[in-house]
Amino acid sequence: MTAEDSTAAMSSDSAAGSSAKVPEGVAGAPNEAALLALMERTGYSMVQENGQRKYGGPPPGWEGPHPQRGCEVFVGKIPRDVYEDELVPVFEAVGRIYELRLMMDFDGKNRGYAFVMYCHKHEAKRAVRELNNYEIRPGRLLGVCCSVDNCRLFIGGIPKMKKREEILEEIAKVTEGVLDVIVYASAADKMKNRGFAFVEYESHRAAAMARRKLMPGRIQLWGHQIAVDWAEPEIDVDEDVMETVKILYVRNLMIETTEDTIKKSFGQFNPGCVERVKKIRDYAFVHFTSREDAVHAMNNLNGTELEGSCLEVTLAKPVDKEQYSRYQKAARGGGVAEAAQQPSYVYSCDPYTLAYYGYPYNALIGPNRDYFVKDTILETHPASLPLVLSRHA
């Protein structure tokens, strides 16, 4: 072998070794060189699996726990030929990226959306605030909103005489990672449940695995088929907004309890402090003249009985209606609506019942809707829904 042949062979071996180090999903990509340059600059890994290409997760040198809930944002309206080499510089400018997951098609183009998880919650909030409507290409604006990290499943078909502890025990027998079970008492008979429950899991992955296992045809509980689907997830409400709330949400009321009775009970600590009460079936909103009066009444009345029923009293959660619209689209992997100039607020009566953030029933998919309609709307005056209140109502 000549010296030239030896040099050529060494060069060929070096090229083959270099090619072997290129991660799957990056090798052969139209922008392979740019992706490799990005990985070299940041030290992050990149791999493609299950229809998504994951950048980081964790980042280099990460020693802390997995980022808490609320650290991830959904990015929609991404041009199909925009990839990590363009996205990462934009999103790392507002905080340290823990991981970025770009959804990919078989043809090598992206699917128009991605998820960016930051190391800290305040960085995710900054990304939503500063990067929604960011112009990634001339005339092409990104849509950025809080992501969905759903850990709750809806379970229907539960015998109505089953107690929370019995339901928890049964579900924990067949699925892993169960943290809690939320059961609502029947509005008409507090000794019965409503035929459905919500199961909280320790992670989204645990919930997804449980959902797969509980799908109809795979398993039976209590001797018959059950219905399972994702529960509509709760939206995090900004702490600054929550500190202004002076409306209480009261659940588990008796059907026959009147608005006057509620007003009298909640106004007992400071005469005249309750402006008005709006009751719908077995829950109500109590409006106070001041936040101090609302908090005082909540602390004193939560867990107490009113006309034979144990009350659950919390501060009502105001949510930007436009934010929820974007959030809902994100949950389905769709596009993201434009941000409203003047956000209007709606108050949820409950994350999982009735007029959820001003969108009655249609926010619930699969079997959820049928159960809610059957158990609730038939006995509720439709004219009272959805319950939409202005922020300063």
Side-chain angles (χ1 to χ4, degrees):
M1 179 183 291
T2 65
E4 290 182 356
D5 290 337
S6 177
T7 301
M10 291 175 61
S11 176
S12 176
D13 291 343
S14 176
S18 175
S19 175
K21 295 178 182 179
V22 179
E24 183 179 352
V26 175
N31 61 335
E32 178 183 332
L35 295 179
L36 291 174
L38 171 66
M39 294 167 63
E40 184 176 358
R41 174 179 71 81
T42 63
Y44 280 63
S45 62
M46 192 180 298
V47 62
Q48 183 166 327
E49 57 185 8
N50 300 325
Q52 62 181 2
R53 193 158 58 202
K54 186 171 76 169
Y55 166 85
W62 181 265
E63 295 181 354
H66 189 277
Q68 66 181 119
R69 188 173 182 178
C71 290
E72 188 176 75
V73 299
F74 171 84
V75 185
K77 299 192 293 187
I78 302 174
R80 298 287 301 281
D81 58 348
V82 166
Y83 302 100
E84 294 88 347
D85 55 302
E86 290 184 69
L87 292 170
V88 169
V90 172
F91 286 90
E92 69 181 0
V94 300
R96 188 185 184 195
I97 295 174
Y98 180 85
E99 73 174 17
L100 184 152
R101 295 180 291 118
L102 181 63
M103 303 301 115
M104 302 294 293
D105 263 336
F106 293 111
D107 62 3
K109 293 184 177 180
N110 76 65
R111 296 171 59 188
Y113 66 100
F115 297 89
V116 181
M117 180 176 291
Y118 286 93
C119 295
H120 302 286
K121 196 171 182 178
H122 68 87
E123 296 169 326
K125 288 186 176 182
R126 184 183 174 191
V128 173
R129 186 170 63 249
E130 298 184 14
L131 298 180
N132 186 43
N133 291 327
Y134 179 87
E135 190 172 25
I136 189 75
R137 293 271 181 87
R140 304 297 299 275
L141 308 180
L142 296 178
V144 182
C145 68
C146 295
S147 179
V148 175
D149 184 17
N150 202 349
C151 299
R152 286 187 179 182
L153 294 182
F154 167 91
I155 307 293
I158 296 175
K160 293 194 174 185
M161 294 306 296
K162 294 294 181 182
K163 305 299 182 186
R164 175 189 170 278
E165 293 73 20
E166 296 176 281
I167 299 170
L168 176 60
E169 181 181 2
E170 187 75 7
I171 298 295
K173 284 180 183 177
V174 295
T175 64
E176 297 180 357
V178 178
L179 292 181
D180 193 16
V181 171
I182 302 166
V183 182
Y184 296 143
S186 169
D189 184 349
K190 299 301 181 183
M191 298 301 294
K192 297 180 180 180
N193 69 63
R194 295 190 178 184
F196 57 83
F198 297 91
V199 185
E200 179 86 16
Y201 287 88
E202 62 185 13
S203 67
H204 177 77
R205 175 176 173 77
M209 296 297 289
R211 177 176 177 269
R212 182 180 302 177
K213 190 171 184 179
L214 294 172
M215 290 297 264
R218 297 192 175 186
I219 199 169
Q220 289 188 347
L221 297 181
W222 301 287
H224 64 267
Q225 294 287 345
I226 59 167
V228 61
D229 213 328
W230 290 107
E232 187 72 2
E234 240 182 312
I235 295 180
D236 286 333
V237 180
D238 192 277
E239 294 176 2
D240 293 337
V241 174
M242 284 303 298
E243 288 177 359
T244 68
V245 173
K246 53 183 181 178
I247 302 172
L248 296 183
Y249 167 59
V250 185
R251 197 168 71 80
N252 206 36
L253 291 161
M254 299 295 287
I255 295 294
E256 58 270 20
T257 300
T258 67
E259 292 181 350
D260 286 340
T261 298
I262 299 169
K263 186 173 184 177
K264 181 178 179 180
S265 177
F266 280 79
Q268 64 180 289
F269 307 105
N270 183 11
C273 67
V274 176
E275 289 183 336
R276 72 177 187 273
V277 175
K278 178 63 178 177
K279 180 175 184 279
I280 301 177
R281 194 155 169 74
D282 63 344
Y283 68 93
F285 287 96
V286 184
H287 297 244
F288 287 80
T289 56
S290 73
R291 177 178 172 81
E292 291 72 24
D293 286 329
V295 172
H296 185 67
M298 176 180 68
N299 291 338
N300 281 276
L301 294 176
N302 183 40
T304 64
E305 283 195 6
L306 181 61
E307 297 190 337
S309 185
C310 185
L311 301 181
E312 295 181 22
V313 186
T314 60
L315 288 167
K317 288 188 175 182
V319 178
D320 177 353
K321 189 171 182 178
E322 185 62 28
Q323 176 198 4
Y324 179 68
S325 179
R326 297 195 306 269
Y327 188 82
Q328 194 178 40
K329 290 177 182 292
R332 295 188 173 92
V336 181
E338 301 298 326
Q341 294 297 318
Q342 296 293 330
S344 59
Y345 288 90
V346 293
Y347 287 84
S348 67
C349 61
D350 192 277
Y352 310 105
T353 58
L354 294 179
Y356 186 86
Y357 294 122
Y359 295 77
Y361 317 110
N362 61 3
L364 297 165
I365 58 176
N368 306 29
R369 185 184 213 178
D370 295 336
Y371 278 92
F372 284 120
V373 170
K374 179 175 65 176
D375 186 72
T376 309
I377 197 172
L378 294 178
E379 304 175 32
T380 305
H381 298 294
S384 65
L385 298 174
L387 179 59
V388 181
L389 307 173
S390 70
R391 182 181 184 184
H392 303 290

